[in-house]
Amino acid sequence: SQQGEEDPQALSIQEGENATMNCSYKTSINNLQWYRQNSGRGLVHLILIRSNEREKHSGRLRVTLDTSKKSSSLLITASRAADTASYFCATALASGGYQKVTFGTGTKLQVIP
Amino acid sequence: EAQVTQNPRYLITVTGKKLTVTCSQNMNHEYMSWYRQDPGLGLRQIYYSMNVEVTDKGDVPEGYKVSRKEKRNFPLILESPSPNQTSLYFCASSSQGRTTAFFGQGTRLTVV
């Protein structure tokens, strides 16, 4: 399985601080995505980084990808209480004409006001 | 509004009683998938479909069936539910050539 593993499993920070979550995976990939899930709700896509990219930004989000180490990180800067959620990485790899997407186990982020 | 709609949102049933969870998307996406989410295990793919009448097993297909008779619908069928199928289920869709998935709001299933 190429399932990603997020680290840490849980993270608690004060509002205004930066939050960093890491994802490691096992096989080669076409791209890696990060999703956010509010408690008990569906996942929402945040950002996608392709295998030939090293860094990508979107608003307060910064994603890095190191394919040699098979790892990615998600940085949320100047966190807000509304950022409290679980964050999942998902790796995509073409398999038989289909891009199989495999999700990690998630990091639960709590931002304390 | 672009969306993936699952029904029901919550379901409590008894062991062995067949049930169907519906999923519908209005984005004309080719790809649809079902996942189950369990604590500590993340999301695991049950089945996926690349287009109408094309379905295949994911990582945890045992005890589930799917069908894709129309592009917009992808129901998940549990012929004989068991307590180990108690979980939070998500349907997702994406367009061909893209991996960004749109998720439904989830169905929380309890089998007693």
Side-chain angles (χ1 to χ4, degrees):
Chain A
S1 169
Q2 63 171 25
Q3 185 178 41
E5 292 185 6
E6 281 91 337
D7 169 54
Q9 290 187 337
L11 180 61
S12 184
I13 59 174
Q14 295 289 329
E15 200 166 33
E17 294 180 339
N18 294 342
T20 300
M21 288 158 266
N22 302 297
C23 169
S24 61
Y25 56 92
K26 296 175 183 174
T27 68
S28 60
I29 60 172
N30 294 123
N31 66 58
L32 185 143
Q33 305 166 62
W34 285 89
Y35 287 80
R36 167 195 168 124
Q37 182 184 34
N38 286 9
S39 181
R41 306 293 293 261
L43 279 72
V44 176
H45 180 260
L46 294 176
I47 193 166
L48 179 152
I49 186 165
R50 293 185 171 79
S51 59
N52 61 353
E53 298 176 312
R54 292 295 166 258
E55 188 171 313
K56 204 160 182 180
H57 297 253
S58 176
R60 293 184 296 114
L61 305 180
R62 173 180 170 246
V63 170
T64 63
L65 178 64
D66 186 335
T67 53
S68 66
K69 294 181 180 177
K70 292 187 170 58
S71 68
S72 173
S73 68
L74 171 68
L75 168 68
I76 304 174
T77 59
S79 64
R80 305 167 182 168
D83 294 328
T84 294
S86 291
Y87 293 82
F88 293 85
C89 69
T91 54
L93 180 65
S95 174
Y98 171 68
Q99 288 265 12
K100 181 168 173 61
V101 177
T102 305
F103 287 84
T105 52
T107 292
K108 195 166 188 176
L109 172 65
Q110 181 186 27
V111 180
I112 302 166
Chain B
E1 181 189 352
Q3 59 186 4
V4 178
T5 304
Q6 293 178 230
N7 279 297
R9 292 288 312 279
Y10 302 92
L11 179 59
I12 301 175
T13 190
V14 296
T15 299
K17 185 176 181 182
K18 180 180 178 179
L19 66 91
T20 299
V21 183
T22 63
C23 173
S24 180
Q25 50 93 5
N26 62 0
M27 295 168 279
N28 202 36
H29 285 167
E30 289 79 14
Y31 295 159
M32 297 186 75
S33 298
W34 276 103
Y35 295 87
R36 61 178 287 173
Q37 184 177 25
D38 302 289
L41 296 177
L43 277 82
R44 294 178 292 168
Q45 191 181 55
I46 303 170
Y47 268 94
Y48 66 94
S49 170
M50 293 201 286
N51 214 322
V52 175
E53 302 291 2
V54 181
T55 63
D56 208 346
K57 296 176 181 178
D59 299 315
V60 287
E62 294 77 20
Y64 304 94
K65 282 176 57 177
V66 292
S67 69
R68 187 94 182 271
K69 293 184 170 57
E70 304 164 284
K71 198 171 187 179
R72 64 183 291 128
N73 296 324
F74 190 44
L76 179 70
I77 303 155
L78 284 73
E79 295 269 4
S80 183
S82 62
N84 64 12
Q85 292 178 299
T86 291
S87 187
L88 181 58
Y89 291 87
F90 289 101
C91 178
S93 73
S94 59
S95 62
Q96 189 174 17
R98 291 187 169 273
T99 54
T100 300
F102 292 79
F103 280 79
Q105 289 301 299
T107 295
R108 188 167 293 279
L109 171 66
T110 302
V111 183
V112 299

